[in-house]
Amino acid sequence: MRIERCYFCGSSVYPGKGVRFVRNDCKIFNFCRSKCHKNFKKKKNPRKAKWTKAFRKSAGKELAVDPSFEFEKRRNVPVKYDRELWANTVTAMQRVEEIKNKRQAHHIFQRMKLAKKIQKAKDIKEVERDLALIKSPAAGLKKANKEALEGEMDEDTEIDTSIQLKSSEKVKAREEAKVEEIHESDQEMEEN
């Protein structure tokens, strides 16, 4: 049983599946599905279609050059049947597949490592650019309120319960206190 490769996308074409096209010069093209066949007839370039193996290899997303690919080459040399040779070949195929999978996983890991560094740099740049959005004007507001209350309590041991201020004066006093606290919190953020 020979598993062919799709000429366009590079995926496996199992026996009884897909389409085979034979050109006038007797070159055989195997396609896994009609999507690949139609794109081939439209003269599309497989390296420009993002869903193909050719694109992934040319863009560096998959391992393109590796000695393990030499084992997949087609050899049309007839060999006399030998049980021991057959068994050795099957074990060698399994071992080669295992090695190839490890190398591909390592290649992907290296790509992701590089991508994480790039993403981290982008994130840091974005945070530095939009720091005003992240900084809260009320950062440190509670701490400043507590300190102000403690300071007032230290100065005045008696608490004045009478209401002498008008409502508009109270609002102005609160706004002034908030402005002072916000400026203090900005200074705290810059120090950190």
Side-chain angles (χ1 to χ4, degrees):
M1 181 176 88
R2 176 167 276 158
I3 300 169
E4 305 286 348
R5 289 265 163 220
C6 177
Y7 180 79
F8 194 80
C9 72
S11 62
S12 303
V13 182
Y14 291 94
K17 304 289 179 189
V19 180
R20 177 171 283 173
F21 170 67
V22 183
R23 205 162 53 186
N24 285 342
D25 62 351
C26 295
K27 182 156 173 40
I28 298 170
F29 300 94
N30 294 300
F31 303 104
C32 59
R33 53 186 179 242
S34 61
K35 179 182 182 180
C36 296
H37 191 206
K38 286 174 186 173
N39 280 305
F40 175 77
K41 286 193 285 187
K42 290 178 187 174
K43 298 185 177 175
K44 296 278 185 187
N45 188 351
R47 282 173 289 179
K48 290 185 180 176
K50 290 193 174 185
W51 49 274
T52 61
K53 289 268 188 191
F55 172 83
R56 293 186 64 77
K57 285 183 179 178
S58 65
K61 293 181 180 296
E62 281 187 11
L63 199 60
V65 181
D66 193 54
S68 64
F69 294 132
E70 292 293 319
F71 293 106
E72 288 184 6
K73 284 191 176 174
R74 194 168 170 175
R75 293 172 187 84
N76 291 324
V77 180
V79 179
K80 190 176 180 184
Y81 177 74
D82 182 15
R83 182 180 283 177
E84 191 176 325
L85 178 68
W86 184 258
N88 290 341
T89 304
V90 169
T91 55
M93 285 168 59
Q94 290 171 347
R95 182 77 180 122
V96 165
E97 191 68 28
E98 188 181 308
I99 290 168
K100 190 171 68 173
N101 289 340
K102 277 185 183 176
R103 287 179 180 170
Q104 284 177 345
H106 179 70
H107 177 73
I108 290 168
F109 179 74
Q110 293 300 325
R111 270 185 51 235
M112 293 300 140
K113 204 175 185 181
L114 186 66
K116 281 182 184 176
K117 285 181 182 176
I118 292 168
Q119 187 63 40
K120 191 173 183 180
K122 280 183 182 177
D123 291 343
I124 289 170
K125 195 173 183 181
E126 187 178 354
V127 166
E128 287 173 355
R129 187 184 69 217
D130 300 328
L131 196 60
L133 298 175
I134 298 169
K135 247 189 213 178
S136 172
L141 198 61
K142 287 183 180 178
K143 190 176 181 181
N145 281 338
K146 283 183 184 176
E147 289 175 1
L149 285 174
E150 287 174 5
E152 288 176 8
M153 292 299 251
D154 291 340
E155 292 171 9
D156 302 327
T157 51
E158 292 181 27
I159 298 171
D160 189 18
T161 55
S162 64
I163 302 171
Q164 295 174 354
L165 291 174
K166 293 181 183 175
S167 61
S168 62
E169 292 175 354
K170 284 183 181 178
V171 171
K172 285 180 185 176
R174 282 186 197 148
E175 286 176 359
E176 289 172 4
K178 278 186 184 176
V179 169
E180 289 173 8
E181 290 168 1
I182 289 170
H183 291 301
E184 288 172 6
S185 65
D186 286 343
Q187 290 170 356
E188 289 172 9
M189 291 292 283
E190 288 171 4
E191 288 171 5
N192 293 334

